[in-house]
Amino acid sequence: MQEQTEPIIDVQGLKTYFPIRRGILRRTTGFLKAVDDVSLGIRPGETLGLVGESGCGKTTCARSIIRLIEPTDGKIMFKGQDIRTLPNSTMRALRRHMQIIFQDPYASLNPRMSVTSIVGEGLRIHENLPWREIRERVGDLLEEVGLSKRFLNRYPHEFSGGQRQRIGIARALALKPDFIICDEAVSALDVSIQAQIINLLEDLQETHGFAYLFIAHDLSVVEHISDRVAVMYLGKIVESAPSEELYKNPRHPYTQALLNAVPVPDPTVRKEVARLPGQVPTLAALPQGCRFHPRCQYKRDICETEAPPAAQIGQDHLAYCHLLT
């Protein structure tokens, strides 16, 4: 990670709500609060890991940041410019600087397009290059991600899952972006292939200085690649800290539960995993007060009525819990 600099991405109070419509007239009866008042920043050359259970809003948050999903409210500053206020025509030109690597390497590539067309599509749209130059650039990108130029005319069905994900990474690199979202980019791959892709992403970041937002379920992977980690629960960030600090000193009960569930890679060690009681509430009917209180063994009366404020644990370490205030 680079020295302390201004964030390339600075998100303040981001909200993304989806209307719930019922009845013949499809009247709005409520809102599903997928992302609710999220604030985060990512500096150039830094990786922010975003973790949490399935359905907590991680992917919606990431896609709202680059406006693949239009947010309901909040401020999204990219290089000092609020991109929420930009018209679609300006946003289209800006998208070359913000790319995404999708979770499923099988579904994210068009089976009717060759590798040259898939990787070079952004070059054709944004740079209007001649076809010969596009082929040369795509060939160089394939070699950069560990594939051969011989694959230029092949189609996605001719590749393994790991190779397809490398093609997806090459597509994200094509326009030399400043910010890349890795949306569960390794979760669909075998463990041995995961390590190769993680190492590739780290090497590319060291070479080009990208900022990554790295979304994952596997906390051991997040620990390896991330400079800082934010933990999300039911649409809110409940704790954020430098990676080493968070894994050594988790303070929010939900973070502690997530880390407690990480397997120990030693068959001789038996680990007692404390299971969280109850079910995850639905985003359409969120509990009052602290959203984690129905499942928290440490809850107090105030947890059921008031949302917890941020507690400063250490430098760049915040946790939202009444136990810490």
Side-chain angles (χ1 to χ4, degrees), residues 3-151:
E3 297 295 325
Q4 296 287 333
T5 56
E6 289 297 316
I8 190 171
I9 285 282
D10 188 12
V11 178
Q12 298 295 329
L14 183 66
K15 298 180 181 180
T16 303
Y17 296 172
F18 299 102
I20 301 170
R21 296 186 172 95
R22 292 190 174 95
I24 297 175
L25 300 178
R26 309 299 294 164
R27 288 176 175 161
T28 299
T29 59
F31 290 93
L32 191 151
K33 300 180 179 180
V35 181
D36 195 13
D37 198 19
V38 165
S39 298
L40 55 87
I42 309 173
R43 303 181 187 97
E46 180 182 51
T47 300
L48 175 66
L50 186 61
V51 302
E53 292 171 288
S54 294
C56 71
K58 304 185 300 297
T59 294
T60 303
C61 178
R63 297 190 182 195
S64 298
I65 288 173
I66 59 176
R67 286 183 58 187
L68 288 182
I69 297 174
E70 285 296 335
T72 305
D73 195 10
K75 183 180 289 187
I76 306 169
M77 305 297 293
F78 177 71
K79 292 185 172 181
Q81 183 178 27
D82 188 357
I83 65 174
R84 272 208 67 221
T85 63
L86 297 179
N88 288 335
S89 58
T90 307
M91 189 64 204
R92 179 185 174 91
L94 190 65
R95 286 195 192 282
R96 63 176 299 152
H97 303 291
M98 300 182 290
Q99 295 292 312
I100 184 168
I101 302 167
F102 295 97
Q103 174 179 358
D104 189 347
Y106 292 89
S108 63
L109 303 181
N110 189 331
R112 297 177 182 272
M113 295 173 66
S114 68
V115 171
T116 303
S117 299
I118 290 170
V119 178
E121 188 173 24
L123 296 170
R124 179 181 61 81
I125 293 171
H126 289 276
E127 297 190 7
N128 196 27
L129 297 177
W131 187 246
R132 194 166 102 182
E133 190 171 343
I134 287 176
R135 284 181 61 85
E136 291 177 0
R137 292 270 293 272
V138 172
D140 293 339
L141 286 165
L142 290 182
E143 290 190 334
E144 189 170 10
V145 299
L147 297 175
S148 170
K149 289 183 178 181
R150 294 184 292 105
F151 297 156

Side-chain angles (χ1 to χ4, degrees), residues 162 165-166 169 185-186 189 193-201:
Q165 197 61 296
R166 289 176 187 269
I169 293 170
V186 298
L189 306 175
I193 306 301
Q194 284 185 8
Q196 295 176 22
I197 297 299
I198 290 295
N199 291 335
L200 173 62
L201 290 172

